Amino acid sequence: MQEAKVIRSLAALAHEARLRVFRALVVAGPDGLTPSALAEQLGIAPNALSFHLKELFHAELVSQERQGRNVLYRAAFPAMNGLLAYMTENCCQGAACTPAGAASCHC
């Protein structure tokens, strides 16, 4: 993963609302959520949520898919796993130190 993409991803996640949105999409899994469901679940105003989703989308941490009149947002699991792999690439001087079950998401 290129450093520029890592910086863009970390910058997008460095906001409380965006981090909450991203985590909610991770929990939702491949089914994703609509903006209205996210706004209701997280208590974020729709106009603010739109801004935060746009930031996460530009950082390539979420994908969007139009379904009729709605847009469905999903966490971009490959990007998330790539970011985590980059951050832990040389962890513990190359020794295996990742707790069991915490390696990556296979969604």
Side-chain angles (χ1 to χ4, degrees):
M1 182 174 241
Q2 297 177 348
E3 283 186 359
K5 186 171 182 177
V6 170
I7 292 167
R8 218 173 31 249
S9 296
L10 292 174
L13 293 171
H15 187 281
E16 180 183 358
R18 286 193 290 273
L19 184 59
R20 290 176 57 219
V21 168
F22 184 73
R23 291 188 70 191
L25 290 172
V26 169
V27 170
D31 292 338
L33 292 168
T34 62
S36 59
L38 276 167
E40 183 178 321
Q41 179 180 337
L42 300 175
I44 298 175
N47 59 338
L49 178 63
S50 176
F51 170 78
H52 295 307
L53 285 168
K54 178 184 66 116
E55 292 295 311
L56 291 167
F57 179 76
H58 287 305
E60 300 177 12
L61 291 170
V62 301
S63 64
Q64 60 184 18
E65 176 187 345
R66 181 157 294 284
Q67 290 188 339
R69 294 180 46 205
N70 293 318
V71 177
L72 189 65
Y73 285 88
R74 294 182 181 98
F77 292 104
M80 178 189 77
N81 290 334
L83 179 61
L84 292 172
Y86 177 87
M87 297 299 292
T88 59
E89 184 175 32
N90 295 312
C91 175
C92 302
Q93 300 177 4
C97 60
T98 304
S104 64
C105 184
H106 302 288
C107 294

